[in-house]
């Protein structure tokens, strides 16, 4: 099943990348699908070669499992890219959306319909998420990746693929969702899928759920506070 999984992952990634922006104009419809299909076939062939060279049948089952995990370590590079792409398509958009609307209003665009977002705003969002990841990302990665349940490359592959697919579909439908919420849900599901409830760390999961609940009122209070403090500085009176 490894070649099929590799092909499906790369096909989904290529389809979403090629269906957006200028690439969709350069490679419309069938051309983009053919290119994505070609990339998927290449991924399937490469995975088949990797499996044939790295997974040996004349070894013990434990050694075969370890060899398969080594293969999925490399495949996770593809699913990680797909997950990062989906994260930018939704979570970063959630943050950049209000800023883009404010910038459009500043330039006199008050229409309720779609607005044109400058490229520098998109670059600003990408830089912001990259700096945040580099500065404060490690504790979150440790919690999500190590403390909820035991993850191995095969499980990580499934979690990343399911999360990315869910978020990308939500982005296509215009639904703002959280990649972190989706990812945690997939991790819990993969942990419970082992048949052992104790495989999921309930204490860590409870702390995560509590943090989600706390952020809503705290962020609301901070927003009101910031607006109240900055309102006297506005040049244009606000009713």
């Amino acid at each position: 099943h490894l070649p099929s999984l590799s092909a499906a992952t790369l096909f989904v990634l290529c389809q979403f990348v090629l269906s957006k922006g200028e690439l969709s104009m350069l490679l419309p419809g069938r051309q983009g699908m053919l290119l994505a299909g070609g990339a998927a076939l290449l991924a399937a062939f490469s995975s088949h070669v990797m499996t044939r060279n790295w997974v040996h049948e004349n070894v013990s089952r434990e050694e075969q499992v370890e060899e398969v995990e080594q293969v999925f370590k490399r495949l996770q590079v593809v699913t990680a890219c797909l997950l990062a792409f989906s994260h930018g398509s939704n979570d970063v958009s959630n943050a950049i959306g209000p800023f883009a609307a404010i910038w459009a209003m500043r330039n006199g665009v008050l229409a309720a319909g779609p607005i044109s977002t400058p490229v520098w705003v998109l670059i600003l969002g990408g830089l912001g998420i990259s700096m945040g990841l580099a500065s404060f990302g490690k504790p979150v990665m440790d919690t999500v990746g190590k403390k909820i349940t035991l993850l191995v490359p095969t499980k990580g592959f499934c979690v990343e693929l399911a999360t990315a697919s869910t978020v990308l579909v939500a982005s296509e439908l215009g639904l703002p969702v959280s990649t972190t919420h989706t990812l945690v849900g997939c991790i819990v599901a993969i942990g419970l899928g082992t048949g052992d409830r104790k495989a999921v760390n309930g204490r860590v999961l409870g702390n995560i759920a509590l943090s989600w609940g706390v952020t809503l009122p705290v962020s609301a209070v901070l927003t009101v506070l910031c607006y109240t403090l900055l309102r006297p500085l506005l040049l244009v009176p606000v009713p």
Side-chain angles (χ1 to χ4, degrees):
H1 302 294
L2 188 58
S4 300
L5 289 173
S6 305
T9 303
L10 198 59
F11 182 80
V12 171
L13 175 59
C14 291
Q15 273 292 90
F16 275 99
V17 171
L18 296 175
S19 64
K20 298 299 180 183
E22 296 182 359
L23 286 176
S24 63
M25 300 179 183
L26 295 175
L27 296 169
R30 185 176 299 176
Q31 295 180 15
M33 185 170 293
L34 289 175
L35 181 59
L41 289 176
L42 180 61
F45 176 75
S46 301
S47 300
H48 174 71
V49 173
M50 290 164 54
T51 305
R52 185 180 59 188
N53 293 337
W54 293 345
V55 181
H56 305 90
E57 296 181 357
N58 57 344
V59 297
S60 66
R61 180 175 176 80
E62 289 74 15
E63 290 176 318
Q64 282 189 351
V65 170
E66 180 60 29
E67 290 175 344
V68 170
E69 295 293 348
Q70 292 298 323
V71 173
F72 271 90
K73 278 185 179 180
R74 292 160 177 81
L75 288 178
Q76 275 197 277
V77 175
V78 180
T79 52
C81 292
L82 180 60
L83 182 57
F85 179 78
S86 67
H87 185 60
S89 72
N90 204 297
D91 291 67
V92 180
S93 301
N94 294 340
I96 291 300
F99 181 79
I102 293 171
W103 183 259
M105 293 179 64
R106 179 183 180 277
N107 294 328
V109 180
L110 301 178
I115 59 174
S116 177
T117 305
V119 176
W120 68 266
V121 174
L122 301 178
I123 295 176
L124 182 65
L127 290 175
I129 191 173
S130 300
M131 293 175 62
L133 175 63
S135 304
F136 304 103
K138 192 176 187 304
V140 178
M141 287 189 288
D142 287 339
T143 299
V144 174
K146 299 178 181 179
K147 297 181 180 180
I148 299 177
T149 190
L150 176 64
L151 290 177
V152 293
T154 48
K155 293 181 180 179
F157 176 90
C158 297
V159 166
E160 290 176 345
L161 181 59
T163 302
S165 301
T166 303
V167 175
L168 284 172
V169 170
S171 300
E172 188 69 21
L173 296 175
L175 301 176
V177 298
S178 169
T179 303
T180 306
H181 288 55
T182 310
L183 182 64
V184 170
C186 291
I187 291 175
V188 172
I190 207 77
L192 295 177
T194 60
D196 183 10
R197 293 184 178 180
K198 295 182 180 180
V200 177
N201 191 325
R203 182 178 61 83
V204 173
L205 192 60
N207 291 337
I208 293 174
L210 178 63
S211 69
W212 290 345
V214 169
T215 54
L216 293 176
V218 169
S219 60
V221 171
L222 288 176
T223 300
V224 173
L225 180 62
C226 290
Y227 178 74
T228 303
L229 293 175
L230 293 176
R231 184 172 179 176
L233 301 179
L234 296 178
L235 298 179
V236 180
V238 179

